[in-house]
Amino acid sequence: MSEYSVESMSAAIETAKEAAMSAIKNTADLSSLRALSAELNKKDSPLNSFKSEMGNLSSVDDKRAVGQLLNAATSEIAVALEDRSIEFADSEIAARIERESLDLTELLVSRRRGHSHIVTQATQRLEDVFIGLGFQIAEGPEVETDFYNFEALNMPKSHPARSEFDTMFLEYGETNSILLRTHTSPVQIRVMKSWKPPIYAIMPGRVFRRDTPDATHMPVFHQIEGLVIDRGITFAHLAGTIESFTKAFFGSEFTSRLRPSFFPFTEPSAEFDIRRADGEWIELGGCGMVHPNVLTSGGIDPEEFSGFAFGFGIDRMAKERHKVEDIREMYTNDLRFLRQF
Ligand code: PHE
């Protein structure tokens, strides 16, 4: 009986393989793995030496059995070497990413953002609604001439209605010729002069009247003016526009009404009110058919075109909407008040 039996060689191969496998597992880095790999592939390495020893086996069957075992052990070791080297490569990449990465994030203490004043918010909502109804926005100067603020609006120098406006005049040019506009109606004339009919315009802006501030009045406030000039415009168009606006802006539960009134620049004239769901009427502004003299001042032929105009206060609407008790609060710039909305 030779000392080379299938059993003893198989056991030796298994032991050599286990030794190689645990050595692979224990390598600490790529270079020691490479050294180990060279060691295992050497001609006289334990596993390779079995190749020559195999010749000592007596039967072909024994040789084949040991040969297969040897091949299996060799390829198992080759796979383990490859796997281990991939592991090192991966952790090498991870370590490098870790080493070279930059933290580009920055901690910012969040800033408190401001918001528009409630009068600006109301103006923007009004503009949105009228743009939706097909209107365009126009603006005019806050410092006006007597011509645009009064004369062109059918209020000649002697007209008694002028005194109702509590005008603030500037000490500039001829006495009482330059003023802070008392309403946005002068922008009607400017639009008529620079646009061509059909005109569908709204004109928001700041206006001024000599008034002592109280809970419902300020010497500086805001109005929005509307002007429509086209062929065949009637009072029905005015009433319909006011009603559509009321529903679009305040909600479908609101309705509007017109009451006879007087303005020098419209004929006939009306005041318009809106009715809340609870039945209460709120006065909103003035309106009417544009007076023929006003069309003429604006360079428009009253025989060819007709139109209507309306104007109302924006501050009152913001006050109503946000349930502000005292309109003066809106202009004292107290952040505790402003931040509420
Ligand atoms: N301008 C008028 C006012 O300030 C309002 C108004 C505008 C009336 C347009 C009729 C037509 O009171």
Side-chain angles (χ1 to χ4, degrees), residues 183 185 188 209 223 225 263 265-266 286-287 309-311:
H183 50 176
S185 300
Q188 285 187 35
R209 286 183 203 178
Q223 285 187 334
E225 191 87 5
F263 297 100
F265 30 92
T266 45
C287 59
F310 56 84

Side-chain angles (χ1 to χ4, degrees), residues 117-130:
H117 189 275
I118 50 175
V119 171
T120 306
Q121 290 177 29
T123 307
Q124 288 171 347
R125 279 194 67 231
L126 287 163
E127 289 176 358
D128 285 351
V129 167
F130 280 110

Side-chain angles (χ1 to χ4, degrees), residues 51-65:
K51 282 179 186 161
S52 44
E53 287 170 19
M54 223 167 59
N56 298 326
L57 289 164
S58 45
S59 78
V60 174
D61 282 352
D62 286 358
K63 282 181 187 162
R64 185 187 294 135

Side-chain angles (χ1 to χ4, degrees), residues 248-308:
F249 190 81
F250 295 98
S252 55
E253 68 277 19
F254 280 77
T255 49
S256 61
R257 79 173 169 200
L258 301 177
R259 276 182 292 119
S261 183
F262 173 80
F263 297 100
F265 30 92
T266 45
E267 181 59 38
S269 302
E271 301 270 347
F272 71 92
D273 309 328
I274 54 162
R275 200 180 80 120
R276 286 205 303 230
D278 65 10
E280 202 197 313
W281 287 97
I282 304 159
E283 246 184 74
L284 218 57
C287 59
M289 301 307 289
V290 181
H291 195 288
N293 291 350
V294 175
L295 290 173
T296 306
S297 310
I300 288 170
D301 181 0
E303 297 294 327
E304 190 179 357
F305 293 101
S306 60
F308 63 79

